[in-house]
Amino acid sequence: MAVTETAPGEAMAGHTAVEEQSAARSAHEGILRRQSARESAARTYARALPIVPVRARGLTIEGADGRRYLDCLSGAGTLALGHNHPVVLEAIRKVLDSGAPLHVLDLATPVKDAFITELFRTLPPGLADHARVQFCGPAGTDAVEAAFKLVRAATGRNGMLAFAGAYHGMTSGALEASGDAFDVRVARLPYPQDYRCPFGVGGTHGAELAARWTESVLDDPKSGVPLPAGMILEPVQGEGGVLPAPDAWMRRMRQITADRSIPLIADEVQTGVGRTGAFWAVEHSGITPDVMVLSKAIGGSLPLAVVVYRDELDVWEPGAHAGTFRGNQLAMAAGTATMAYVRENGLTERAATLGARMLDQLRGLSREFSVIGDVRGRGLMIGVEMVEEGGEGEEWGVAGPGGSVGPDGSGGSGGPGGSDEGHVAAGLLGSVGLSSADGAGAVVMPGPIPSPRPASPELAVAVQRECLRRGLIVELGGRHASVVRLLPPLTITDEQATAVLDRLADALAAVAHGHGRGVGRPQQRRRWSEGIG
């Protein structure tokens, strides 16, 4: 029998590596086990992402078990520059080494002064020269609460306007304005979207109907909605399913609120600091809100939240909105460095360009997998909606499936639509440039409107799980948690973007194959590598 000689120490070294790997896995599993036993049942990300991060840099996270992941969650959009960016670490070290106080309540400091100066440098035109800033508790939801208190104090009114699908935080006032509120004291308005348009129209027509609905609610003395203290909206609904508001609709909301002396509050907690391809997402439409709610990326990965508003609204009494931790010096320093880096290095333009390419690639993928219902987003805020398997939904006119307005524009019979709804549909479409075909109320449609297939949270969870197996961290969101979300750092490289899309495509293919659908992956990967690089 042949004997193979082993170099001195080789066997021991191999044995040690195996032992270290086993120890790492044991530590990883032990931490997760203790977390499950000791932490609240309210924990969320930890359930879907059973990892134990120990090191991170840029887009990459390394777990306690030695596995590496591409992080497209980015602290739910907090990490504009990714994990532990050198300029952020340097800014934090500089404050620590200076001996500056770390806790200062709302006292003036050089660190705070630098933060405000940089923040005001980035604000939309028309606001920076007439703005005040309120430092809040270190979470976006507290800034939302402060914004509500501010406009109520300034107007003497109490009600608020918000939009279906909104998410503004987890405290009571913010929840009341969010889409899943139970105790509603806020009037809800339709938020325009194409794939699941509440009017079954989509596009510019759907946005116009949404705007007219808003005007009707405000101007109808019998609508049950008195003149409110303010309107709050997200330029892109994030948790609502990555729904970018049309620019023209944003301008209409600005005009509607201005004409009626209603302060407009823009919630830029997740969209701010370059995420959507503009420094602030309201800049896409060119509007200037009265109030901006800011958090997440402005703290450079550390907790920080502020409200910026027109100085004419500054009717606060001392202590009207306070908080022990509103003077987070380290977060201000990190935030100043982050905002300056994004501004000076053109990362907003980078987000716009790369995001458009990634969206284009994903839309191509949606044509190959029927489990993808829609791909949408703006900049590096991207969503892929998963839907149930099968063909497109039933085609229907504006009156609804089986109603009096058929897919071909002729009057239908029976069904939930009814003749009255047909006349309503005719009136609505006439208001946006579509006409009634005859005096009977039949509506001439530009074409049949397919109803979207039901959302599939189960498939979305399966995609997230398959992504994690491939070393990719993604978030879920949307009305039914059926939207796979990508929020990569603005510093993501072309090569990393290709790797993200390849891993997501592999995950989608695995899930689709499980439902009888699939594509040839080698051809897919070549095309994406060519398209993103």
Side-chain angles (χ1 to χ4, degrees), residues 85-110:
H85 193 280
V87 302
V88 172
L89 297 182
E90 177 60 26
I92 293 172
R93 289 192 190 101
K94 186 175 179 180
V95 174
L96 291 174
D97 293 343
S98 72
L102 300 183
H103 191 290
V104 295
L105 297 171
D106 66 354
L107 300 178
T109 71

Side-chain angles (χ1 to χ4, degrees), residues 33 45 63 82 90 150 187 197 213 269 401 411 458 467 515:
R33 189 166 52 250
Y45 297 108
E90 177 60 26
L150 175 70
C197 174
W213 181 281
V269 168
E458 294 82 7
C467 282
H515 289 73

Side-chain angles (χ1 to χ4, degrees), residues 252-270:
R252 282 289 295 279
M253 293 303 102
R254 173 67 286 187
Q255 190 63 52
I256 287 170
T257 53
D259 289 347
R260 294 160 179 79
S261 299
I262 302 170
L264 178 63
I265 305 167
D267 183 340
E268 291 259 15
V269 168
Q270 191 166 100

Side-chain angles (χ1 to χ4, degrees), residues 469-533:
R469 289 181 57 196
R470 290 159 175 77
L472 175 63
I473 298 172
V474 298
E475 185 176 15
L476 300 184
R479 302 300 210 272
H480 303 282
S482 61
V483 178
V484 178
R485 300 186 58 197
L486 298 179
L487 292 163
L490 310 188
T491 51
I492 184 173
T493 67
D494 288 344
E495 293 75 18
Q496 288 173 331
T498 298
V500 165
L501 292 177
D502 275 339
R503 295 183 193 192
L504 176 57
D506 281 335
L508 287 164
V511 171
H513 275 302
H515 289 73
R517 306 279 178 171
V519 297
R521 288 295 298 121
Q523 180 180 358
Q524 183 97 22
R525 180 170 291 111
R526 284 198 301 273
R527 184 173 72 248
W528 283 20
S529 298
E530 294 164 2
I532 291 292

Side-chain angles (χ1 to χ4, degrees), residues 64 90 96 128 134 163-164 172 178 227 255 268 282 303 308 339 354 358 363 443 460-461 482 496 499-500 515 529:
E90 177 60 26
L96 291 174
Q134 165 75 26
F163 291 87
S172 60
S178 298
L227 192 67
Q255 190 63 52
E268 291 259 15
V282 292
V308 180
M339 289 188 290
L354 182 57
M358 294 177 73
R363 284 171 181 144
V443 178
V461 168
S482 61
Q496 288 173 331
V500 165
H515 289 73
S529 298

Side-chain angles (χ1 to χ4, degrees), residues 17-273:
V18 171
E19 286 184 335
E20 288 177 353
Q21 188 176 37
S22 176
R25 280 198 303 268
S26 177
H28 163 89
E29 291 167 1
I31 291 171
L32 290 178
R33 189 166 52 250
R34 288 189 292 276
Q35 180 188 42
S36 178
R38 299 189 294 202
E39 288 192 28
S40 165
R43 67 191 186 280
T44 55
Y45 297 108
R47 295 179 184 275
L49 304 170
I51 63 176
V52 181
V54 293
R55 277 174 293 277
R57 188 64 173 260
L59 182 69
T60 304
I61 285 179
E62 183 179 335
D65 58 354
R67 290 199 64 195
R68 293 164 66 88
Y69 302 87
L70 300 181
D71 180 15
C72 280
L73 174 59
S74 298
T78 298
L79 305 173
L81 305 183
H83 294 277
N84 293 324
H85 193 280
V87 302
V88 172
L89 297 182
E90 177 60 26
I92 293 172
R93 289 192 190 101
K94 186 175 179 180
V95 174
L96 291 174
D97 293 343
S98 72
L102 300 183
H103 191 290
V104 295
L105 297 171
D106 66 354
L107 300 178
T109 71
V111 173
K112 179 193 279 190
D113 184 63
F115 173 83
I116 295 173
T117 299
E118 182 60 38
L119 175 62
F120 276 38
R121 184 180 286 129
T122 70
L123 291 176
L127 182 58
D129 294 338
H130 307 281
R132 295 295 179 94
V133 59
Q134 165 75 26
F135 287 84
C136 306
T141 190
D142 189 59
V144 170
E145 299 284 353
F148 289 176
K149 289 167 64 175
L150 175 70
V151 297
R152 284 169 171 151
T155 64
R157 303 189 291 263
N158 189 54
M160 296 295 302
L161 296 175
F163 291 87
Y167 177 76
H168 298 292
M170 294 301 293
T171 49
S172 60
L175 279 174
E176 286 176 1
S178 298
D180 55 354
F182 294 100
D183 181 18
V184 177
R185 292 185 289 175
V186 176
R188 287 298 188 287
L189 299 169
Y191 190 94
Q193 54 174 305
D194 291 338
Y195 188 61
R196 299 189 186 277
C197 174
F199 304 104
V201 179
T204 57
H205 299 314
E208 174 66 17
L209 290 175
R212 293 198 178 210
W213 181 281
T214 299
E215 289 179 318
S216 176
V217 165
L218 290 171
D219 296 341
D220 182 355
K222 296 296 184 180
S223 70
V225 179
L227 192 67
M231 172 191 284
I232 185 167
L233 59 76
E234 298 160 277
V236 180
Q237 284 194 348
E239 299 304 317
V242 193
L243 301 172
D247 292 339
W249 179 84
M250 287 285 289
R251 289 189 285 270
R252 282 289 295 279
M253 293 303 102
R254 173 67 286 187
Q255 190 63 52
I256 287 170
T257 53
D259 289 347
R260 294 160 179 79
S261 299
I262 302 170
L264 178 63
I265 305 167
D267 183 340
E268 291 259 15
V269 168
Q270 191 166 100
T271 54
V273 193

Side-chain angles (χ1 to χ4, degrees), residues 383-399:
V384 178
E385 182 169 347
M386 306 302 296
V387 295
E388 290 185 5
E389 190 71 66
E392 286 299 325
E394 181 181 8
E395 292 179 346
W396 54 287
V398 167

